[in-house]
Amino acid sequence: MSGSSIIVAVNALLTFRGDIIVDASGWRAALGGQIRPDLVRRDRLNFGMETTVAYRDQGLHFSYDPRGLLPMGITWAFPIGEFSRIGIGSYRGDTRLGRRLDRFLVDLELRRDGVHGGYFPHALRDPLVGDLFLVGDAAGQCLGLTGESIRPALFFGTHLGRLLRRALEGKISLTAAREAYRRLVAARKPGYDLLCLAQRVLPRLPLSLVQGVMALINKPAVLRRVLALYVRAFWLAVEDVRTATQGGSLIPAPIAAMNQGEESPAKDDVSAEERLRVSH
Ligand SMILES: Cc1cc2nc3c(=O)[nH]c(=O)nc-3n(C[C@H](O)[C@H](O)[C@H](O)COP(=O)(O)OP(=O)(O)OC[C@H]3O[C@@H](n4cnc5c(N)ncnc54)[C@H](O)[C@@H]3O)c2cc1C
């Protein structure tokens, strides 16, 4: 495996080649981990499991019970219509959580109905390994503390896709696309670092202090601001670009500016499909 070719053993030895390869294979980073074995660090993985049960509620709930349930982790209840996904997550990557989940369910007078789970990263990884692009959990783009990952994967995946399409159309060079993607991720790193720090520090604080912080955050005016920042943080620069450029580009301003300065013709006008070579 290199950034531009993959060898896959499926009955025969296949080599896939492409100018652009994106690893979107989840926390294991199936491709990136081959090139850089230390990319996937176990000490940077949370682990969670959840069950879907008939339990109706409003809003998303997180709870923290370090004395009675789990010292370095949280439980959650996410309603989905008539049902809720109720789960437990360890900030230390502990996988033996089944009994604790059962205890949490008993408190809610519920019993688990099947269970699913897995690891999710809590620290950003390099978004590029050599020439290889990584996105989603493969790039560690899951948020620490909350474990939210679907929205980040969609955000970065959408923008990376747009950058790569521009590169394939010859509007920017592949080098410019790589730099733009790096910058897109780097601009959001402080937020990632903050959440990563929060999940490490909060469970180590005296419970009374955590309760004080949570009570403060739960005040409606504070909660509104915190949630607005949390939800919009990814998109702030995007909104700026929409008003700043007439083309409606969803690429943040610094990247759009960089692209304008660095546009260069692609090597050829061959489509992505045509570039993919399969050889035995
Ligand atoms: C219990 C639990 C609850 C969660 N709840 C939420 C939630 O409520 N909200 C939220 O935002 N996030 C949640 N997450 C996190 C979220 O599910 C993942 O982090 C998210 O799915 C990551 O998206 P992804 O596309 O990067 O990776 P994935 O969803 O893992 O997708 C990777 C894909 O690549 C495929 N793949 C892997 N290896 C290979 C290979 N070698 N060859 C070919 N294909 C391969 C996989 O089959 C998979 O289809 C939860 C996680 C857990 C464990």
Side-chain angles (χ1 to χ4, degrees):
M1 170 72 213
S2 76
S4 56
S5 71
I6 314 169
I7 298 172
V8 191
V10 187
N11 298 329
L13 198 64
L14 302 177
T15 303
F16 295 87
R17 288 202 175 83
D19 287 345
I20 299 170
I21 296 180
V22 179
D23 184 344
S25 64
W27 68 268
R28 286 190 182 85
L31 303 181
Q34 298 268 331
I35 302 175
R36 192 190 295 168
D38 65 350
L39 184 74
V40 180
R41 288 181 47 175
R42 289 282 166 160
D43 62 342
R44 299 203 172 166
L45 293 173
N46 294 336
F47 184 88
M49 62 170 60
E50 66 183 6
T51 184
T52 304
V53 290
Y55 181 73
R56 206 179 160 81
D57 202 351
Q58 296 287 325
L60 305 178
H61 300 279
F62 290 95
S63 64
Y64 172 57
D65 179 5
R67 292 185 184 152
L69 201 62
L70 187 63
M72 290 289 284
I74 51 166
T75 46
W76 63 81
F78 297 165
I80 38 171
E82 298 295 318
F83 295 86
S84 290
R85 289 192 287 117
I86 296 189
I88 185 165
S90 163
Y91 292 143
R92 278 202 295 233
D94 289 340
T95 56
R96 287 161 299 176
L97 299 174
R99 285 191 187 158
R100 295 171 203 259
L101 176 61
D102 289 339
R103 269 175 28 218
F104 181 59
L105 288 164
V106 166
D107 288 348
L108 298 171
E109 298 179 356
L110 296 166
R111 290 180 63 185
R112 79 161 104 154
D113 183 7
V115 72
H116 61 268
Y119 288 102
F120 43 99
H122 60 78
L124 273 181
R125 302 172 184 165
D126 286 340
L128 278 138
V129 175
D131 289 346
L132 178 77
F133 291 89
L134 296 105
V135 75
D137 279 11
Q141 289 165 353
C142 184
L143 295 164
L145 193 68
T146 64
E148 187 187 4
S149 181
I150 296 168
R151 199 168 53 105
L154 291 173
F155 173 85
F156 287 112
T158 300
H159 288 287
L160 177 58
R162 289 190 172 135
L163 284 168
L164 297 182
R165 187 177 62 197
R166 287 176 136 217
L168 288 168
E169 288 171 349
K171 292 180 178 157
I172 57 170
S173 68
L174 206 43
T175 305
R178 287 193 192 100
E179 288 309 309
Y181 185 52
R182 270 193 200 286
R183 290 172 60 148
L184 181 75
V185 176
R188 282 143 187 88
K189 191 169 183 305
Y192 272 90
D193 289 348
L194 186 67
L195 288 170
C196 183
L197 185 71
Q199 82 156 49
R200 284 181 185 158
V201 170
L202 276 176
R204 292 185 164 87
L205 296 177
L207 187 55
S208 57
L209 192 55
V210 178
Q211 285 169 330
V213 172
M214 291 306 148
L216 178 69
I217 291 177
N218 257 334
K219 289 186 188 298
V222 180
L223 188 61
R224 259 199 312 277
R225 280 169 184 259
V226 170
L227 280 181
L229 189 64
Y230 176 82
V231 171
R232 286 197 213 134
F234 278 111
W235 296 94
L236 288 173
V238 176
E239 287 167 12
D240 288 345
V241 167
R242 278 186 165 158
T243 51
T245 62
Q246 294 188 346
S249 163
L250 289 182
I251 296 176
I255 293 166
M258 187 187 77
N259 288 346
Q260 280 163 13
E262 293 191 20
E263 279 192 5
S264 64
K267 280 183 280 184
D268 51 49
D269 59 358
V270 181
S271 71
E273 287 79 6
E274 286 165 324
R275 282 183 182 162
L276 189 69
R277 302 272 181 269
V278 181
S279 61
H280 294 261

